Amino acid sequence: MNLKNFIIGGIVGGIVDWLLGWLFYGIIFKDTFPSGETMNMMMITLGCFTVGFFISYIFLQWAAISNVVTGLKAGAIIGIFMGLTSGFFGSESMATPDYKIIATGVFISIMMCACVGASIAFVNSKLK
């Protein structure tokens, strides 16, 4: 695995994830997903960079993805599973899960991971 690509791709992916999270959760869907009284920005930032490095690792170590369209598609597939996982676990304590919220979260996860995947693939294509 190319360590330079992994680190740069992970950082770029983390920044893209953070910016898209701010756009989706902070602006577009802020009424659907209201923020709590206190938000720990450090934990949010670490979570975003974890996603960036996770996708970067998959693309470099297992899939050799360096095409933007392929990165977009692979990121979307990863987003489906990440969104479903967080939606199901987030609804575990509800007597009646809100399926609209779960579906919206999955949609957002697909969009975000697709963009993260495309950005990491772009970085991989430029840093051969």
Side-chain angles (χ1 to χ4, degrees):
M1 177 172 67
N2 186 331
L3 187 60
K4 177 180 78 171
N5 284 31
F6 170 69
I7 291 172
I8 295 172
I11 290 170
V12 168
I15 292 169
V16 169
D17 193 56
W18 193 92
L19 290 171
L20 290 174
W22 168 73
L23 176 66
F24 282 115
Y25 292 107
I27 296 174
I28 298 173
F29 294 101
K30 72 177 179 181
D31 295 330
T32 306
F33 298 98
S35 62
E37 283 184 23
T38 59
M39 290 182 8
N40 188 332
M41 290 306 294
M42 178 59 78
M43 292 296 113
I44 291 171
T45 302
L46 288 172
C48 291
F49 280 100
T50 299
V51 169
F53 282 106
F54 174 63
I55 295 175
S56 183
Y57 182 83
I58 290 170
F59 283 17
L60 286 170
Q61 189 66 20
W62 295 334
I65 295 174
S66 61
N67 177 286
V68 174
V69 174
T70 306
L72 185 82
K73 291 176 184 178
I77 297 298
I78 292 168
I80 289 170
F81 290 106
M82 287 178 61
L84 287 172
T85 300
S86 64
F88 293 149
F89 282 133
S91 300
E92 58 81 25
S93 64
M94 297 178 185
T96 306
D98 188 339
Y99 295 106
K100 181 180 175 189
I101 297 248
I102 293 171
T104 304
V106 171
F107 169 77
I108 291 170
S109 183
I110 291 168
M111 295 296 109
M112 290 175 61
C113 287
C115 292
V116 169
S119 67
I120 291 171
F122 178 77
V123 167
N124 288 343
S125 72
K126 297 299 178 192
L127 295 177
K128 293 254 177 192

